[in-house]
């Protein structure tokens, strides 16, 4: 077997990086982790991701793959002989999974920043409304399934679950309870957390909260 | 596939519907094209795409697929003849990366370009030119198309810029596709748009220009009120 060299460059709090960690662990792929300081970006990062200069970046046998959802598809295809398969085999179901992951990508992170980064009750409330709208839509897509992927973690599960670490932060800043508003979604999140790959890959919610509070001091200077 | 029913809900002036048509035609898929009036969206569109209410939507045997790049991948996976994406996972990831790069970086700048002052427009146009220059860095001088000797996913995902950029240059009076600054990109767009299957479904350029100019003028009028 050819020795595979797999490196993940990311930042501990990045939900996008967590997605990749989960995917790698689910497939049982050994990798080296390199922490990048996002407040003091290395020249190394600009060589492996010259276009965006962002994390996460996966480096597989010296070639870089960027953008987290793209990386997960790559992992699924490059290690297609290993289960689980993140994307289903039926083309229509695959298109649905890609659609929802893309929806989450486009909307959730930006909307959530309004809750904790903005000053002013109106902006915070707008952020809260948007986040709940998105989570409720996603919750109804989940329906009665254990996971978006069916019986196991799939592409959409991996795309969404890292944001669970941020629920505490959103709830504290926005003064609301996500469990009250989206009980099925929180039940899903707790099911995901029982998986080793997820539990090992997600940062502690309180650590995230402290980090965001200190970041706000920096941004609101 | 016999008995397949394929419908594309689109708008004649949409670059995203156009690239889905390119994918269908390259695969030789028979489809029914349904023109949507975007100022009066049909119940069918609202039923198939309740979340975004946008075109294009592909309906295959009654099942809808939304978001043009997702649709193109669906087309590639469902009709396996004449592949659009390469076989190698790394090359597939690279194609997807560049297609998304353009959608994420270039499209918002076009929208932003309807800024009111001359100075702001020029500044945004400069940013847009840099995005295009970065896109050029993905091209290989030795290959006519990104897909190699024949058109691939990246080519059809991005070639709409070769039509829309010159049009925007006329409407907004800015420079985007600088021939000197981006020679490879200019050549690449020209080569892609010359391919018969691509060329034959490009809408009439004068009609497109008139449509977007009218849209832009009305938008600018509301801004100054």
């Amino acid at each position: 077997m050819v020795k595979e060299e797999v490196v993940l460059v990311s930042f501990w709090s990045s939900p996008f990086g967590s997605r990749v960690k989960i995917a790698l662990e689910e497939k049982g792929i050994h990798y080296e982790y390199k922490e990048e300081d996002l407040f003091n970006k290395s020249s190394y990062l600009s060589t492996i991701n010259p276009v965006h200069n962002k994390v996460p970046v996966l480096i597989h046998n010296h070639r870089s793959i960027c953008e987290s959802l793209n990386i997960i598809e790559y992992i699924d295809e490059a290690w297609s002989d290993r289960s689980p398969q993140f994307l289903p085999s039926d083309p229509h179901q695959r298109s649905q999974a890609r659609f929802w992951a893309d929806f989450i990508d486009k909307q959730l992170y930006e909307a959530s920043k309004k809750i904790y980064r903005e000053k002013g009750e109106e902006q915070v409330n707008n952020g809260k409304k948007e986040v709940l709208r998105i989570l409720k839509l996603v919750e109804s897509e989940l329906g009665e399934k254990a996971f978006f992927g069916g019986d196991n973690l799939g592409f959409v599960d991996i795309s969404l679950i890292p944001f669970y670490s941020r629920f505490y932060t959103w709830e504290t800043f926005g003064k609301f309870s996500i469990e009250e508003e989206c009980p099925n979604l929180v039940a899903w999140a707790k099911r995901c957390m029982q998986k080793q790959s997820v539990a090992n890959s997600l940062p502690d919610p309180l650590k995230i909260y402290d980090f965001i509070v200190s970041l706000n001091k920096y941004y609101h200077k | 596939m016999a008995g397949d029913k394929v419908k594309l809900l689109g708008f004649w002036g949409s670059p995203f519907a156009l690239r889905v048509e390119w994918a269908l035609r390259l695969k030789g898929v028979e489809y029914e094209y349904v023109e949507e009036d975007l100022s009066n969206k049909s119940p069918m569109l609202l039923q198939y795409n309740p979340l975004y209410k946008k075109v294009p939507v592909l309906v295959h045997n009654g099942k809808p697929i939304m978001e043009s790049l997702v649709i193109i991948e669906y087309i590639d996976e469902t009709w396996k003849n004449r592949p659009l994406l390469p076989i190698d996972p790394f090359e597939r990831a690279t194609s997807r990366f560049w297609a998304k790069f353009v959608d994420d970086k270039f499209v918002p700048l076009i929208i932003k370009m309807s800024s009111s002052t001359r100075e702001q427009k020029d500044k945004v146009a400069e940013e847009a030119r840099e995005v295009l220059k970065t896109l050029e860095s993905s091209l290989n001088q030795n290959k006519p198309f990104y897909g190699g000797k024949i058109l691939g996913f990246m080519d059809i995902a991005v070639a709409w810029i070769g039509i829309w950029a010159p049009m925007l240059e006329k409407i907004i009076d800015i420079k985007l596709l600088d021939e000197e600054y981006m020679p490879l990109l200019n050549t690449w767009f020209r080569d892609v748009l010359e391919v018969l299957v691509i060329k034959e479904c490009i809408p009439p350029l004068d009609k497109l220009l008139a449509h977007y100019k009218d849209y832009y003028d009305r938008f600018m009028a509301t801004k100054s009120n």
Side-chain angles (χ1 to χ4, degrees), chain B residues 28-123:
Chain B
V29 176
E30 299 256 337
Y31 64 98
E32 179 198 343
Y33 177 81
V34 177
E35 181 70 28
E36 276 290 326
D37 175 359
L38 297 183
S39 60
N40 188 18
K41 292 176 183 180
S42 72
M44 185 167 57
L45 175 61
L46 299 177
Q47 176 209 336
Y48 282 134
N49 192 357
L51 192 54
Y52 290 127
K53 303 179 176 59
K54 281 184 181 175
V55 293
V57 178
L58 189 79
V59 187
H60 183 203
N61 295 334
K63 291 194 206 164
I65 303 103
M66 293 81 71
E67 294 297 285
S68 53
L69 292 182
V70 174
I71 297 173
I72 296 172
E73 286 225 44
Y74 173 82
I75 291 168
D76 204 26
E77 289 168 356
T78 305
W79 291 275
K80 298 201 198 299
N81 62 307
R82 204 235 174 271
L84 297 172
L85 273 167
I87 299 174
D88 173 67
F90 180 73
E91 288 180 39
R92 291 164 74 86
T94 308
S95 292
R96 287 176 179 134
F97 173 83
W98 286 110
K100 199 141 188 300
F101 167 75
V102 170
D103 277 12
D104 289 348
K105 295 286 174 195
F106 191 71
V107 174
L109 288 174
I110 295 182
I111 296 167
K112 204 173 163 188
M113 242 177 285
S114 319
S115 301
S116 47
T117 72
R118 182 74 245 166
E119 206 182 86
Q120 280 175 321
K121 268 195 255 288
D122 288 335
K123 204 168 169 285

Side-chain angles (χ1 to χ4, degrees), chain A residues 12 14 39 49 55 73 79 83 93 100 103 115 128 134-135 154 159 166 168-169 175 182 197 200 213:
Chain A
W12 71 271
S14 164
F39 299 92
N49 189 355
V55 293
E73 279 214 62
W79 284 274
S83 63
Q93 285 177 13
W100 283 104
F103 171 71
I115 302 179
K128 198 164 87 181
I134 295 163
L135 292 181
S159 307
R166 295 174 171 241
Y168 176 76
T169 301
K175 300 189 187 50
C182 309
S197 59
N200 290 347
V213 168

Side-chain angles (χ1 to χ4, degrees), chain A residues 41-87:
Chain A
K41 288 184 181 178
S42 66
S43 54
Y44 172 65
L45 184 62
S46 64
T47 60
I48 57 173
N49 189 355
V51 174
H52 297 297
N53 204 35
K54 280 185 179 176
V55 293
V57 182
L58 188 78
I59 307 163
H60 182 204
N61 294 335
H62 310 291
R63 297 195 296 189
S64 12
I65 303 101
C66 311
E67 297 295 286
S68 60
L69 293 185
N70 201 20
I71 298 172
I72 297 169
E73 279 214 62
Y74 173 80
I75 291 170
D76 217 18
E77 290 175 353
W79 284 274
S80 57
D81 54 332
R82 295 202 197 187
S83 63
Q85 280 293 116
F86 303 134
L87 277 168

